[in-house]
Amino acid sequence: MSELFSLRGKTALITGATRGIGLAIAREYGRAGARLAISSESAEDCRRTLSRLAEEGIEAIALPADLACQTQVEALADACLAHFGRLDALVCNAGVAPHLGPLASASDADWELTLTVNLRSALWLSNALLPAMAAQGGGSVVLMASIAGVRGNKGLGLYGLSKAGLAQLARNLAVEWGPANVRVNAISPGVIHTEFARPLTEQPEILQRRLALTPLRRVGRPEEVAALALLLAAPGGAFISGQNLIVDGGTTIGDGN
């Protein structure tokens, strides 16, 4: 393996790591040599994921947490640092989309859950972990945003607002922590073949319309997002910070032809 993509001797915490993009990132980080802490709100899902990773020769620990609860998020950060003694890479991948439809139809509970899990939890984790990263000489943070945060959307407006906030959070934290060699970036996937995207991918008519607007004419794969997340945490990405990197097969630049 090229040293540009090696995470040997590094530690990483990945939220939303039991399926989809988060699991793909955990696999790639583990294969690159990182010691892993994986998290989701389900302890059982975490246990199953540890077993799957172990079968592939990847060792990890599970730190379940409900990211809607600030005390649990802070306890997650404390437990991670207590176990590893340091943290080199943080991936805030967990996200929810409880509301579908016009913004005016979103309830207060929809707003609270979406903004807390998708945005505030990333800030809570960053506030808890970036000082330790800075003290050890640097590190990397990857915030999982979405192309829903870079353009208007009739059905996912609330989700898009939270993801646009994540991209801005990456820019702000990159400026604040850059002098301490802490790099912060966002990744904005398009439609990726995951359980999260099933409401779209399992409706052929809707999917075909979407693919017609995507120059590559296909849905993305989780590992294609994970590869970028690996670059951002590895030496090869050491001069990338404050960016919102789009992985969408060209959807956001397509002209519909």
Side-chain angles (χ1 to χ4, degrees):
M1 175 188 298
S2 167
E3 287 302 311
L4 288 174
F5 299 95
S6 173
L7 295 180
R8 274 196 300 271
K10 303 296 185 181
T11 60
L13 168 62
I14 304 163
T15 69
T18 59
R19 61 185 182 182
I21 291 172
L23 177 56
I25 293 173
R27 280 194 174 108
E28 292 308 315
Y29 278 26
R31 289 167 179 164
R35 293 182 293 157
L36 300 178
I38 62 167
S39 184
S40 91
E41 64 180 346
S42 167
E44 180 57 34
D45 286 351
C46 284
R47 282 193 291 270
R48 282 197 294 265
T49 301
L50 288 188
S51 295
R52 292 175 66 181
L53 292 173
E55 290 172 359
E56 300 171 25
I58 297 171
E59 292 187 14
I61 63 166
L63 299 174
D66 180 358
L67 298 189
C69 176
Q70 185 173 4
T71 56
Q72 290 196 37
V73 173
E74 292 171 348
L76 167 63
D78 290 343
C80 184
L81 289 176
H83 181 83
F84 291 132
R86 62 181 290 130
L87 188 68
D88 299 287
L90 168 64
V91 180
C92 295
N93 171 73
V96 297
H99 175 261
L100 181 65
L103 282 170
S105 67
S107 68
D108 287 346
D110 291 331
W111 278 88
E112 181 68 20
L113 181 61
T114 303
L115 293 179
T116 299
V117 173
N118 293 2
L119 180 58
R120 294 180 73 193
S121 71
L123 180 60
W124 292 335
L125 273 176
S126 298
N127 287 345
L129 292 168
L130 267 60
M133 278 191 187
Q136 75 197 20
S140 167
V141 179
V142 174
L143 308 179
M144 198 58 62
S146 168
I147 63 168
V150 300
R151 61 182 191 173
N153 191 301
K154 290 187 292 185
L156 285 171
L158 179 53
Y159 176 79
L161 279 170
S162 69
K163 295 300 188 174
L166 272 180
Q168 182 60 31
L169 179 61
R171 290 184 283 265
N172 285 344
L173 292 177
V175 170
E176 291 180 16
W177 292 94
N181 195 36
V182 175
R183 297 176 294 105
V184 187
N185 292 285
I187 297 176
S188 285
V191 180
I192 307 298
H193 194 70
T194 63
E195 184 176 337
F196 188 82
R198 283 175 60 187
L200 191 156
T201 58
E202 291 188 346
Q203 298 187 60
E205 290 186 6
I206 296 176
L207 180 60
Q208 286 308 117
R209 287 200 299 270
R210 179 58 172 268
L211 294 183
L213 299 172
T214 301
L216 289 184
R217 298 294 194 267
R218 67 174 177 87
V219 172
R221 301 190 303 272
E223 55 267 30
E224 292 171 325
V225 182
L228 176 56
L230 174 58
L231 170 67
L232 293 175
F239 203 50
I240 304 172
S241 195
Q243 302 305 303
N244 180 26
L245 300 161
I246 295 175
V247 185
D248 71 348
T251 300
T252 51
I253 57 90
D255 63 359
N257 295 319

